[in-house]
Amino acid sequence: MEASGTDEVDKLKTKFISAWNNMKYSWVLKTKTYFSRNSPVLLLGKCYHFKYEDESKVLPARSGCAIEDHVIAGNVEEFRKDFISRIWLTYREEFPQIEASALTTDCGWGCTLRTGQMLLAQGLILHFLGRAWTWPDALHIESSDSDSWTSNTIHKFTASFEASLSGERELRTPAVSLKETSGKHPDDHAVQSEIYHRQIISWFGDSPVAVFGLHRLIEFGKKSGKKAGDWYGPAVVAHILRKAVEEARHPDLQGLTIYVAQDCTVYNSDVIDKQTDSVTAGDARDKAVIILVPVRLGGERTNIDYLEFVKGVLSLEYCVGIIGGKPKQSYYFAGFQDDSLIYMDPHYCQSFVDVSIKDFPLETFHCPSPKKMSFRKMDPSCTIGFYCRNVQDFERASEEITKKPERYQELQMIVSHSVDAGD
């Protein structure tokens, strides 16, 4: 009887902490991110220079961009549209209760899982839509920088706490397969792209049935000794994502696999084996692969000598971002300007969205405000992601990386052993 009473106290404590975190992360300070017009901006392999407003103008070879062979000039609006089109996964509240816990929110502990989701989402965008895709409504959403402490935040705190004491939310099945909708609008590329866009987001819905949702990732994390409410590191999340993709039964995901590097080394033969595994099963096509490389860029603090390495990674067209951040605070790094990293922040609590509903709202899955952080504040532990569509793409990426200039020597080391191992 006494034990039962203790359990009830622990549950109430958990619910109160969850409600407090929901309130804490339900508002942001009015902040502005400033970009220099005199320095190039790199965003997941694309280079923008705000000094050049003419879309058709090509930057000179010595513009400072890290991509020497395909530099892109673009104005501020082009960069904003590109950034906002990336999928933003943040803390959520009032979602279906996580199994074996009293949690209906991930506020205060799920940030690394969210940044891992963002990296995987970018890989899926490349896989289904390509790097040139942008969301047509990207420039129409309002900036979250205008949010402030209001009576609405107090209301959310009260509502969140009440919801945490109530029963589980009804579960629904996610949206239908892309293959089922394919061909219905053969001449409308925009419609097809929007179908893919919505489907990708639905895979990250906050319910137990979403293939890459928080509930599913937590289940895979149990094998690593993690549970709901724990803090997850970038390396652990890499393996959770690998397992989630391997176990995904959705027909549209059968052409994708994930490889996690061991000891910062990518072995060519192992990657190619994963990509061609489906060939032996009667499928003539090799798989696309997302390569995840957990690394540590220093001891207790990030070594400034790795700055050029990180820039080199984010300059590659194959890069799908970095799961990183500050100590105990994970961010999704997607680019840089000068010595500052550009990121999306998951530490913003938003309400649950039922992605199984037709035409569910998309606005909360796109970040209107890029943020910047000095490289010196970066936590040394991070996971780097790359995407290759097929074996030929992977071989071309490996060759390109090994031919990079000396300032990318750490990046070369990641695949240098793999070339020997594959021969």
Side-chain angles (χ1 to χ4, degrees):
M1 199 69 179
E2 184 178 345
S4 177
T6 302
D7 290 342
E8 289 301 318
V9 171
D10 289 341
K11 287 181 180 179
L12 186 61
K13 181 180 178 181
T14 298
K15 290 172 181 176
F16 181 80
I17 292 173
S18 294
W20 175 258
N21 282 330
N22 290 347
M23 179 189 70
K24 178 181 178 181
Y25 295 108
S26 291
W27 63 286
V28 294
L29 296 175
K30 292 182 178 180
T31 58
K32 285 287 185 181
T33 301
Y34 294 95
F35 289 88
S36 170
R37 286 187 171 271
N38 298 316
S39 301
V41 177
L42 268 294
L43 182 67
L44 295 170
K46 280 194 174 183
C47 182
Y48 295 91
H49 206 309
F50 304 151
K51 190 175 182 179
Y52 297 84
E53 294 293 337
D54 184 359
E55 296 181 12
S56 62
K57 191 166 185 176
V58 179
L59 289 175
R62 297 182 181 178
S63 64
C65 287
I67 311 176
E68 290 83 0
D69 53 348
H70 51 278
V71 171
I72 301 169
N75 58 30
V76 175
E77 294 302 288
E78 286 179 316
F79 166 74
R80 287 190 63 238
K81 188 171 185 179
D82 191 4
F83 177 84
I84 294 172
S85 297
R86 303 314 107 201
I87 294 177
W88 184 38
L89 286 313
T90 72
Y91 288 154
R92 295 279 174 173
E93 61 177 341
E94 301 174 30
F95 53 61
Q97 186 170 312
I98 297 172
E99 187 178 357
S101 79
L103 294 168
T104 58
T105 177
D106 63 316
C107 283
W109 56 270
C111 58
T112 314
L113 289 172
R114 295 299 187 181
T115 54
Q117 286 180 320
M118 285 189 260
L119 183 146
L120 178 56
Q122 177 59 18
L124 294 173
I125 286 178
L126 292 184
H127 187 62
F128 291 106
L129 297 170
R131 183 62 184 90
W133 174 83
T134 54
W135 183 36
D137 295 331
L139 298 180
H140 298 154
I141 65 175
E142 296 181 2
S143 172
S144 63
D145 286 344
S146 61
D147 290 349
S148 59
W149 181 275
T150 64
S151 59
N152 182 55
T153 305
I154 301 296
H155 171 73
K156 288 184 73 176
F157 169 73
T158 305
S160 172
F161 187 64
E162 291 175 349
S164 70
L165 297 175
S166 64
E168 292 186 8
R169 188 184 298 271
E170 179 185 0
L171 303 181
R172 303 187 185 187
T173 304
V176 298
S177 166
L178 298 177
K179 293 179 180 178
E180 294 177 19
T181 60
S182 180
K184 291 185 179 180
H185 307 277
D187 300 322
D188 194 339
H189 179 71
V191 172
Q192 283 295 323
S193 294
E194 191 56 27
I195 291 172
Y196 277 79
H197 178 203
R198 285 185 173 276
Q199 178 66 91
I200 292 170
I201 290 176
S202 75
W203 283 328
F204 295 92
D206 293 306
S207 77
V209 294
V211 289
F212 304 129
L214 190 76
H215 297 68
R216 191 70 62 88
L217 298 186
I218 289 170
E219 282 300 309
F220 292 127
K222 289 179 179 179
K223 295 182 179 179
S224 300
K226 296 292 184 179
K227 63 181 186 299
D230 288 347
W231 192 85
Y232 296 70
V236 170
V237 169
H239 289 281
I240 290 175
L241 295 178
R242 175 187 58 79
K243 191 64 176 177
V245 170
E246 287 178 352
E247 296 293 325
R249 295 293 175 258
H250 197 287
D252 299 315
L253 295 168
Q254 300 313 299
L256 180 70
T257 187
I258 284 188
Y259 172 87
V260 180
Q262 300 295 323
D263 300 321
C264 301
T265 303
V266 176
Y267 294 98
N268 282 10
S269 58
D270 292 343
V271 175
I272 294 174
D273 284 347
K274 288 184 74 72
Q275 289 186 277
T276 57
D277 179 59
S278 59
V279 176
T280 58
D283 188 348
R285 296 170 299 177
D286 45 316
K287 291 184 178 181
V289 62
I290 293 175
I291 300 170
L292 300 179
V293 187
V295 297
R296 188 166 183 86
L297 308 177
E300 292 185 6
R301 296 184 179 181
T302 298
N303 190 328
I304 193 65
D305 292 339
Y306 286 109
L307 173 60
E308 294 303 322
F309 164 65
V310 173
K311 288 183 178 182
V313 166
L314 294 171
S315 301
L316 294 170
E317 62 176 300
Y318 309 99
C319 182
V320 290
I322 299 175
I323 305 171
K326 297 189 292 188
K328 296 296 182 180
Q329 201 167 26
S330 185
Y331 299 143
Y332 170 63
F333 295 122
F336 68 90
Q337 184 180 47
D338 296 324
D339 293 347
S340 294
L341 298 170
I342 299 170
Y343 67 93
M344 287 197 290
D345 189 354
H347 301 88
Y348 180 58
C349 187
Q350 303 189 89
S351 298
F352 167 81
V353 173
D354 187 348
V355 296
S356 69
I357 297 175
K358 184 179 180 181
D359 298 328
F360 63 87
L362 298 170
E363 289 76 12
T364 63
F365 296 99
H366 292 278
C367 180
S369 307
K371 295 185 179 298
K372 290 170 69 177
M373 183 191 85
S374 170
F375 174 80
R376 295 176 182 275
K377 295 181 180 180
M378 182 181 181
D379 188 278
S381 294
C382 60
T383 290
I384 302 166
F386 304 95
Y387 169 84
C388 297
R389 186 170 296 279
N390 47 44
V391 171
Q392 290 73 26
D393 205 20
F394 170 67
E395 290 175 340
R396 185 163 65 91
S398 299
E399 183 179 356
E400 181 178 327
I401 290 172
T402 54
K403 288 183 178 179
K404 281 290 178 183
E406 184 65 23
R407 67 177 186 158
Y408 302 133
Q409 59 181 340
E410 293 90 352
L411 185 55
Q412 295 177 38
M413 290 178 64
I414 287 178
V415 295
S416 63
H417 294 86
S418 70
V419 175
D420 296 335
D423 286 344

